[in-house]
Structures are given as C-alpha cells and as structure tokens.
Amino acid sequence: MGPVQIIATSVAAVITVVAIVLVVRTVRRMLSVVRLGQPDPSRSGPRGLRLKTMLAETLGHTRMLRWTVVGAAHWFVMIAFLALSSLVLEAYFEVAVPDHGLPLIGAWNVYGLVTEWIGVLGFIGILVLIGIRLRNLPGNPNRRSRFTGSTMWQAYYVEYTILAVLLCGFFIRGFKAANDTLEWPVWAAPVSHGLGAVLPASAAAVSLIAMLKIVVSMTWVIVIASNITMGVAWHRFLAFFNIYFKREPGRAGSGLRALRPMMSEGKPLDFEEADPDKDQFGVAQVEQFTWKGILDFSTCTECGRCQSQCPAWNTGKPLSPKLLILSLRDHAYAKAPYLLAGGPSAAEEALAKVDVLALAEKDRPLIGGVDENGVIDPDVLWSCTTCGACVEQCPVDIEHVDHIVDMRRYQVLIESNFPTEAGVMLRNLENKGNPWGAAQSTREDWTKGLDFTVPNVADGGDFEYLFWVGCAGAFEDRAKKTTRAVATLLNEAGVSFAILGQGETCTGDPARRIGNEFVFQMLAQQNVETLNEAGVKKIVATCPHCFNTLANEYGQLGGHFEVIHHTQLLAQLVSAGKLTPVQPVDGAITYHDPCYLGRHNRVFAPPREVLGAVASSQDDAGLVEMDRFAERSFCCGAGGARMWMEERIGKRINVERVEEALSTGAKTVAVSCPFCLTMLGDGVTGKKAAGAAPDDVEVVDVASVLLRSLSSNNS
C-alpha cells in the first residue's frame, strides 16, 4: 500500500470503530426503552404467517405502492439501501487495494450488472423522493403538507447521504474503469464504463473516494446513533420488526376491525375483579403502553401519510396522527432515564444520577393542555373519529387508533374527563340501552305501516337471519327508512328473518370508542346472552358499527356469530335473481364508503354491485366515484363516538365530504350506514340552504335505492 492507501485505510478504520461502538450502545438503549412497555402476549404467533406478511410488506412494498410514484421510488431506494451494505463493504477492500473489489462474488458479471442497475434506479428514486419532499414543503398555508411537523433536516440528511453514497460508488467504478481495473465488461456496467471514459486514470482517486464513501456512511451511523428518536433513519431497521409484530398478520389492509381489549399486565381486564389501585385502567403514563406501542413510536418515519389522510387534520383540527406518535416517542425517550433508574420506586441515590430533564419529564401529564404542560392536548385526543385512515396508510403498521382509545379509557374511567356532551350519551346507554335515550318500548315502532308482519324472535319459529336493527335503525327517523327498506327487501326476496324487538339493546360501540369499556362490556354481555339464548347463528345488520362490533368484538366476550352487512346480503339476492331492479335511478350515483364497513372490514364491492344493478346506462349517469373512495374514503365525522360530540374546531368533517360528493355531479349520494346518512344528509341540507347544492340532490341508503328500483311505483 502507498501512503494514500495507508492514510485512507486508517481513517476508514477509526471512523468505523467509533460508529460501531456508538450504534451498539444506542441499540441497547432503544431495546431497554421498548422493554419498559407492558407485556402483550398476542404478538407471539403464528410465526410463519408473521414472517410472510413482513416480507410481503417490506420487499413487496404492498403498502407503499398504493401511492404508485412514491412507492416505486421508495422501493428502488430501499433496494439500493440494502445493496449499499455490500457496496460499502466492497469499499473497505478498495480503500486499501484500489484494483481489487469484493472477494468471491465481486468479479461475477451478474453481481456487477445487478448492483449497477440498482445504483442507477436507486439514484433516480432518491431524486424523485427529494423532489416530492421539496414540492410539499411544510410552509403550505392550508396545512395540507404531509411533512408539516416532521424534522426536515433529518429527512434531508438521510436522502442526501444515500445520494452521496451512490455517487461515490459510481465514481469508484468510473475511476477503476479509467484505470482498466474494473472487473466487469461494458454490458454489465455501462454507466461505470461511460464515466470511466471521461475520468483520468488514478489509483489514488479510487482509494480516496472509497474512504469518502466509508466516511459518509459511518458519519450517518454516528448521527443516527446520536439521535435515538431519528425515526426517518431508524425505521429502516425497526420497520421489519414492527411489521412482523403487527396485529392480525396476513389480513388484507390495515388489520383494524376489533379494538384491543383493555389489558392489565398482559391479560384482559376483568371488571368483576379489577381493582383501580392495582390494575391498569387504560393508559395514564407512557410506560403503560405495551412494548409494541413503544416500538410503534420508535418506528415512525415521519412520512406524514397518516396525516395526509386524517379527516381531523384535513379540516383544521389539532389532531395529526403523526404528531401524536412523535409526541409520545419524544416523551418516552425523554422520560426513559428516570424509568430505567427505577421510576417511582427508585432509591434517592439512583435518581440523583438521572438527568434533570428526565426528572422534569416524569411530572408531565400524558393528557393535558398547554398550561398543564401535557404531552397530548385533550383536543387532540377527542378529535379522533377512529376512522382508521392513519393505520390504513401507515407503511410500518403503527396502530394509532388503539393507542388513542387506550388513552381515552383512562380519561373516561378514572379521571371522568371527557367532552361534556358525551356524558348524556353514556348516561342514556346505561339507563335506556341506547344513546338517544329513547324508550325501549318504541324499538319496534318502525314496523308500523308495513304491509307484512315482521317476525319477532320472542314469538318462536325458525329463522335464518336475525335482523339486527340497531339503535339508529330503531329510533332515528332517517335511519328508520333504511330499516323499513331492508325488511321489505328481505320479505320480497323470501329471506327468513326475525328481530329481537325490545330484547335488543345497543351493541356498545360508542361507549367502547369513547373509552368507557365498562359500559361496553355491560351492554355486550347482555346482548351476547340474549343472542345465545335465542340460538342465533347468522345476523344481518344495517349499521357498520353494529356489524363490526357483533362480528369482531363480541367474540372477546363469548359471542361467536356469522355476521353480514345488509349490502352484502342484498348483493347476493340481486345476483341470485331474487331481487330484480327494473327502474334505473335518474342521474348519476356516487357512493360513500363508511369507515367501519370499508376500511375496517374490507367490504367495498357489494354496495357497488347493488348500485351498479340499478344505475342508469345513460352517458351522464351511472356510478361515479369521489376522489377519495374505498380504503381511502374520507370519514363522515361520526365515528369514535363523535356522533354525540360537538365539532367546534375547524371545518366540519361532514361538510368536507359533502363538497367532495357534490363535485361528482351525482344526484344520489348513496350510503350504507345510519351515521353517514345523518352526517351527509345534514351536510347536503346545509348546502341547499346556502344555495350551494341543487335541490334534487339527496342522500339515501343503498337499500332505499334498490327498493325504489324494484318498481316504478316504489318511492
């Protein structure tokens, strides 16, 4: 080795040792912080399925590719980043011996060809990502940038590091080509050979650029080791684990549906034996999240995809799922020294060694306003509609909704601290069995005036489906029209069904989403007992919230039923010829996907199949989609018990969605949820009053649309 090689090799060796020592120390610290979380035994199996899902989502980029350009660019960058490990390793040989490369495989033409094109495509990909970031700078006055609140210098640093390492790789190969020592022919490394044609021959240049490549790479390692909360870098390693440990691995989409039950020490909380002084009721401190929760916080890449889809953020509310996760992450790591020293039970001499900032962090309330120095503002917590758009879009499977509801649970059950208007709803659930406070004796009033008798389970007799009417379907005037339409259609098709009538009570969905697990379990256990005693096997429900709760959450309490949404059953009946539309709908139809039917439960096609069967074939008619539909549908604003809370901040979510629906030019806005029917109906009414919507636009349920089409006499 010449003097250049000796100096370059020495510099590379020193910075590499420093980087390894620092990153090992940081990884150990990160693991110790994650282990502070509560146990979660549900994350252990099935291992094969978890591994398959993790590989599909990472190597296949199944989430990222939903945003085609960004996803494709990120895939090439990811592959280039993985390949950089071998190319950086190759640089350690090149820095010492300029005319050598990676032993064993380094001389293979296939290796040269693959790494050459990975470098080219990775280079293009990183330029695309940089361009996208620059085009969406957070200075947007409309708060539409998904990068608002992200730590931009970290993102730029990571992106430009990748760019620099790729460029170094090409210049090393270019100089080797100029020196006539490049291992591969022109067809395997055309860019490198082309670069070599314009570069001077210089063995020293190979060693110096190889040293630069190592220095840039190891400096990056040192920087991330010095910034444990630098999620934009750490997600490259943590994402594999976070996706592996996701809940419901292998399930299409986000893996939503049921909320996690309330847990204490890794076990579901039994309210009959629970002790608030000993057991954990929701989350009051950051260390009360599960270890998977803290891993979630650590993994966030600050990409803002969740933020861009959040209905609260998009209508001027303070909630950003990304910023919520980042706040919890920063708080967890700031408080960690105190917790690792022993926390509340630590000896005074142990706490004396703890940084004063960590001691200050321990006194911060998890939920609190600016005057209380809270980690999460109450308006942030209560703005969530639990629509799941954040979880659906997160490329690393962070479970925002579970964390939000866990924090709500403590606020409701222990602190009794929640929006005052929601208290009326909770009292109605406890005292009347429905959120509206209607008399139980009126649950069957919707059947009056029908020209057939609606069978009741209490009357005896066999039936195939239990028609779960739901509280809205029984008491809310607009929803009662849907209930009557569904019953009429089932009767017309000859479907055997019955109702519980006064034996039915609220499923408990609004109580659970607001955080009152006690009321949810009280209602759910009552319903499970009633359904089991009636011998119910199949249930058809018109409310997606009831549908989701019955199908996915009652199993936690011993209620296992085959549950179908009314649009699914109607689609089957239309397909089988048992219901035959004869009168096309006048004008175009647009369909709004309810969050709890579509995103949470992946029911997208059946409602569209029904509407497609009744839509007109005229050029200006048919079924037209809004800009945001299917898994990217925009919430109506009623989920997460928001139906019973005032919307005082920013633009109303239902108005935002109605404006999107009106922009399609459709005369009929079809829905398949009573909450959506109310919210969008109110929005359209408001627009009509303001002269901003045609008088003939209406919001109706899919069932009502189908019923009208069966006969020109139906209305």
Side-chain angles (χ1 to χ4, degrees), residues 121-134:
L121 295 172
F123 184 79
I124 295 171
I126 198 67
L127 289 178
V128 169
L129 295 182
I130 290 172
I132 289 172
R133 190 175 296 274
L134 291 173

Side-chain angles (χ1 to χ4, degrees), residues 303-423:
C303 67
R305 289 162 69 103
C306 59
Q307 183 170 289
S308 72
Q309 303 299 301
C310 177
W313 178 262
N314 277 288
T315 54
K317 315 292 190 294
L319 169 63
S320 157
K322 177 188 71 178
L323 297 180
L324 179 140
I325 293 297
L326 297 186
S327 296
L328 293 172
R329 178 198 67 189
D330 294 344
H331 174 59
Y333 281 94
K335 188 179 180 181
Y338 162 74
L339 297 172
L340 292 171
S345 59
E348 288 187 15
E349 55 269 22
L351 292 179
K353 300 177 182 178
V354 176
D355 184 83
V356 65
L357 295 177
L359 293 176
E361 202 73 22
K362 76 179 177 63
D363 296 323
R364 295 183 67 191
L366 196 63
I367 306 298
V370 175
D371 55 333
E372 301 168 286
N373 195 28
V375 178
I376 304 297
D377 191 276
D379 284 333
V380 169
L381 185 69
W382 298 110
S383 291
C384 180
T385 67
T386 69
C387 71
C390 50
V391 183
E392 178 72 32
Q393 291 299 329
C394 181
V396 293
D397 282 306
I398 293 172
E399 297 162 2
H400 314 71
V401 172
D402 285 339
H403 305 323
I404 288 172
V405 173
D406 272 340
M407 289 186 285
R408 284 182 172 187
R409 285 165 168 166
Y410 181 82
Q411 294 299 307
V412 171
L413 293 172
I414 302 301
E415 297 290 338
S416 295
N417 187 12
F418 51 89
T420 54
E421 60 267 23

Side-chain angles (χ1 to χ4, degrees), residues 357-630:
L357 295 177
L359 293 176
E361 202 73 22
K362 76 179 177 63
D363 296 323
R364 295 183 67 191
L366 196 63
I367 306 298
V370 175
D371 55 333
E372 301 168 286
N373 195 28
V375 178
I376 304 297
D377 191 276
D379 284 333
V380 169
L381 185 69
W382 298 110
S383 291
C384 180
T385 67
T386 69
C387 71
C390 50
V391 183
E392 178 72 32
Q393 291 299 329
C394 181
V396 293
D397 282 306
I398 293 172
E399 297 162 2
H400 314 71
V401 172
D402 285 339
H403 305 323
I404 288 172
V405 173
D406 272 340
M407 289 186 285
R408 284 182 172 187
R409 285 165 168 166
Y410 181 82
Q411 294 299 307
V412 171
L413 293 172
I414 302 301
E415 297 290 338
S416 295
N417 187 12
F418 51 89
T420 54
E421 60 267 23
V424 177
M425 177 268 291
L426 290 173
R427 286 193 295 273
N428 286 336
L429 286 176
E430 289 189 74
N431 300 326
K432 299 290 187 178
N434 68 84
W436 279 276
Q440 189 72 355
S441 59
T442 62
R443 269 200 180 265
E444 295 178 68
D445 284 1
W446 64 269
T447 63
K448 295 176 180 178
L450 293 174
D451 57 5
F452 60 93
T453 300
V454 177
N456 193 302
V457 171
D459 298 333
D462 296 330
F463 57 91
E464 182 180 6
Y465 288 98
L466 185 281
F467 179 18
W468 187 271
V469 176
C471 300
F475 301 121
E476 206 277 326
D477 289 339
R478 282 171 287 197
K480 283 195 283 188
K481 295 179 181 179
T482 301
T483 307
R484 291 165 61 87
V486 171
T488 301
L489 290 166
L490 296 182
N491 181 70
E492 182 78 15
V495 176
S496 172
F497 72 97
I499 62 171
L500 287 173
Q502 295 184 37
E504 180 182 304
T505 191
C506 181
T507 60
D509 165 84
R512 186 169 229 198
R513 266 66 196 173
I514 203 174
N516 197 323
E517 187 75 5
F518 177 78
V519 171
F520 164 72
Q521 289 198 21
M522 177 186 72
L523 294 167
Q525 287 168 352
Q526 178 181 336
N527 282 325
V528 167
E529 183 178 347
T530 299
L531 291 167
N532 285 336
E533 286 180 355
V536 172
K537 302 296 181 185
K538 295 182 179 181
I539 301 175
V540 57
T542 58
C543 176
H545 298 264
C546 297
F547 166 73
N548 180 69
T549 305
L550 292 164
N552 303 318
E553 298 186 337
Y554 274 21
Q556 299 170 0
L557 301 169
H560 301 281
F561 314 104
E562 180 184 335
V563 187
I564 191 171
H565 188 254
H566 74 281
T567 58
Q568 294 175 294
L569 183 54
L570 294 179
Q572 293 175 12
L573 296 174
V574 170
S575 177
K578 294 183 178 181
L579 293 173
T580 305
V582 295
Q583 181 69 25
V585 172
D586 181 31
I589 307 172
T590 191
Y591 174 66
H592 163 78
D593 288 275
C595 302
Y596 275 78
L597 183 64
R599 198 156 34 237
H600 282 256
N601 285 281
R602 323 311 292 178
V603 179
F604 300 121
R608 289 174 169 81
E609 291 170 0
V610 174
L611 294 173
V614 304
S616 172
S617 59
Q618 301 276 333
D619 290 340
D620 61 345
L623 182 61
V624 294
E625 297 286 7
M626 296 184 229
D627 290 338
R628 293 173 287 198
F629 67 96

Side-chain angles (χ1 to χ4, degrees), residues 2 34 44 131 218 228 252 334-335 513 581 708:
V34 170
S44 57
M218 292 304 108
I228 197 170
K335 188 179 180 181
R513 266 66 196 173
R708 293 177 186 181

Side-chain angles (χ1 to χ4, degrees), residues 64-75 125 128-129 132 135:
M64 291 294 296
L65 286 171
R66 291 177 183 171
W67 295 22
T68 309
V69 174
V70 176
H74 191 276
W75 187 85
V128 169
L129 295 182
I132 289 172
R135 191 183 66 187

Side-chain angles (χ1 to χ4, degrees), residues 177-213:
N179 298 339
D180 202 24
T181 59
L182 190 63
E183 299 93 329
W184 314 292
V186 174
W187 65 265
V191 176
S192 299
H193 277 283
L195 193 56
V198 298
L199 291 175
S202 173
V206 174
S207 295
L208 290 173
I209 296 176
M211 180 195 72
L212 178 62
K213 182 177 182 179

